[in-house]
Amino acid sequence: MFASFLLHLNWKELLMGQEEWSFILEIILRTAIMFLTIIIGLRILGKRGVKQLSIFELVVIIGLGSAAGDPMFNKDVGIISSIIVFVVIILLYSIITYFIGKYKGFEQLLEGKPICLIENGEFAIDNFKKENLGSDEFFTELRLKGVSQLGQVETAIEEISGEISVFFYEDKEVKYGLPIMPNSLENPLKMIKKDGHYACTFCGHTEIKTPGDSRQCPKCRKEEWVLSCNKKE
């Protein structure tokens, strides 16, 4: 039955839709032209437009990709109209980039501004709440930078590109902090069984505790703690 289905299948319509086989050569030509147009467009935009994409620049790249994609295989879309779209997008990019360089407030309105997420080895929780960034995702970013516990970090900043910049304490200044290795926060404590340095699992605040009730964190009012560590970078 399946073999019969394959025999009666309209392979031309499946593979080419409503187009003729001769359209393949036209697709090759269209794709080559738009490919060169993309290269020229990105060259005009400059290296920053490719290497570090802000929200604004991401919109530009998506717009260029959309304008380039349709005429590659869609017979109803002319190449000239797509090139006009390219020119308009690049002109708008150039105009907006000019105003971004001239007016700082306009840049912050369009692209946002860097946000401090860690300060003095603890989360800047008010800023952290504003960002759509999960703690696991953030910890992964920190580990990729070589961080194993927050006490190593003097400051961590989320740049407008989404990258995380990390500034470390020198080894002699590293202090106890919240461990961020996998599974390190799986068994938080509300009762302390032995003396030691403990870190709040929510904000990273660290203090010395003695056996007994863990009490609320003075910074965020949460009650779950884990043993902190002072491992150096």
Side-chain angles (χ1 to χ4, degrees), residues 45-84:
L45 291 178
K47 292 181 180 178
R48 184 172 182 268
V50 180
K51 187 177 180 182
Q52 296 177 329
L53 295 182
S54 65
I55 294 175
F56 162 58
E57 289 159 342
L58 183 60
V59 170
V60 171
I61 297 299
I62 292 174
L64 293 178
S66 178
D70 289 345
M72 288 182 182
F73 60 88
N74 192 338
K75 206 170 188 176
D76 296 330
V77 179
I79 290 177
I80 295 298
S81 59
S82 294
I83 291 177
I84 291 173

Side-chain angles (χ1 to χ4, degrees), residues 175-192:
K175 53 188 181 180
Y176 282 89
L178 179 70
I180 61 169
M181 300 303 286
N183 306 321
S184 60
L185 305 181
E186 282 191 350
N187 299 301
L189 304 172
K190 289 189 176 181
M191 289 294 297
I192 305 301

Side-chain angles (χ1 to χ4, degrees), residues 4-21:
S4 177
F5 168 75
L6 291 178
L7 287 174
H8 290 87
L9 188 64
N10 189 334
W11 287 96
K12 178 183 175 298
E13 185 175 334
L14 176 67
L15 298 174
M16 291 295 297
Q18 300 301 315
E19 305 297 343
E20 297 298 325
W21 291 102

Side-chain angles (χ1 to χ4, degrees), residues 59-156:
V59 170
V60 171
I61 297 299
I62 292 174
L64 293 178
S66 178
D70 289 345
M72 288 182 182
F73 60 88
N74 192 338
K75 206 170 188 176
D76 296 330
V77 179
I79 290 177
I80 295 298
S81 59
S82 294
I83 291 177
I84 291 173
V85 171
F86 260 68
V87 172
V88 172
I89 289 175
I90 291 171
L91 283 175
L92 288 174
Y93 177 86
S94 300
I95 292 169
I96 293 174
T97 300
Y98 169 78
F99 282 107
I100 285 176
K102 195 171 182 64
Y103 303 105
K104 191 68 176 177
F106 184 74
E107 178 183 12
Q108 292 182 357
L109 177 65
L110 192 64
E111 297 190 334
K113 57 183 180 179
I115 301 292
C116 179
L117 298 179
I118 295 178
E119 192 170 18
N120 298 323
E122 299 179 4
F123 287 124
I125 51 177
D126 290 337
N127 291 339
F128 199 87
K129 289 176 183 177
K130 297 175 185 176
E131 297 302 297
N132 186 21
L133 188 66
S135 58
D136 288 342
E137 178 187 358
F138 185 49
F139 288 165
T140 299
E141 292 282 347
L142 292 178
R143 288 195 294 268
L144 289 172
K145 302 285 186 180
V147 178
S148 62
Q149 57 98 357
L150 297 190
Q152 300 168 342
V153 181
E154 182 178 5
T155 309

Side-chain angles (χ1 to χ4, degrees), residues 192 194-198 207-211 214-216 225:
I192 305 301
K194 61 178 181 179
D195 294 340
H197 291 80
Y198 290 82
E207 59 185 47
I208 298 174
K209 290 187 174 295
T210 55
S214 65
R215 300 187 302 277
Q216 289 183 340
W225 302 77

